[in-house]
Amino acid sequence: MIAEDRSREDARPLPFFVYGTLRPGEPHHGLFLRGRTLAEEPGHLAGAVLYDGPGYPYAVEGPGTVRGELVTARPEAYGDLLAALDRLEEYVPGDPRNLYERAARDVVRAAGGTVRAWVYLAAPGVAARLRETGTRIPDGDWLSRR
């Protein structure tokens, strides 16, 4: 159930920009997205860089580009998918222990144009540590690390 203080924020059914384990062929894609999406298309997030994490990546705001997919949820699945992704990313609004923060950002579609989407970005403390000692993925594409 969506908390009362988040209901206004979450009332906008934004697509999701996924850049790591939720991308096609990655472990969480089938578990979380299969059957819940209307569309999945390539895109990129400008103004962010990608860091390698312990089995998953972190996008951090900065001068660069992160590659991924723009995922549009089926309207009837949107609320459940939003809640499931918040749980996966261990995101709780206002919790200082968050590893990620969910933020609305403009994402560039590969076919052209931009769309506002939810993106899970590294929380401020995590982002600061990554900038100091993290391993950056130079091309901003999690799939290239293989």
Side-chain angles (χ1 to χ4, degrees):
M1 182 168 189
I2 298 173
E4 192 67 31
D5 62 328
R6 292 175 51 201
S7 62
R8 190 176 320 143
E9 172 189 294
D10 296 340
R12 299 172 293 146
L14 298 178
F16 300 89
F17 178 71
V18 300
Y19 55 84
T21 65
L22 288 161
R23 291 180 73 182
E26 292 298 298
H28 289 131
H29 183 270
L31 292 171
F32 289 88
L33 300 177
R34 186 173 294 126
R36 292 177 163 174
T37 66
L38 285 176
E40 297 178 27
E41 61 181 294
H44 70 270
L45 176 65
V49 294
L50 199 62
Y51 286 90
D52 202 1
Y56 47 86
Y58 288 99
V60 175
E61 291 183 307
T65 300
V66 173
R67 306 213 176 282
E69 271 69 42
L70 189 61
V71 175
T72 302
R74 295 184 174 281
E76 67 276 10
Y78 180 79
D80 287 342
L81 181 57
L82 181 67
L85 294 181
D86 280 355
R87 280 191 306 275
L88 172 67
E89 306 300 0
E90 299 179 26
Y91 167 69
V92 177
D95 190 331
R97 297 169 298 173
N98 284 340
L99 296 178
Y100 292 95
E101 294 291 330
R102 178 167 39 87
R105 295 291 185 268
D106 289 331
V107 175
V108 180
R109 291 182 150 126
T114 62
V115 64
R116 199 79 167 158
W118 290 124
V119 181
Y120 291 90
L121 299 169
V126 174
R129 284 190 300 279
L130 289 168
R131 285 185 187 109
E132 287 180 21
T133 61
T135 302
R136 188 169 166 183
I137 298 172
D139 67 358
D141 189 342
W142 172 249
L143 301 181
S144 73
R145 78 200 188 290
R146 297 180 192 165

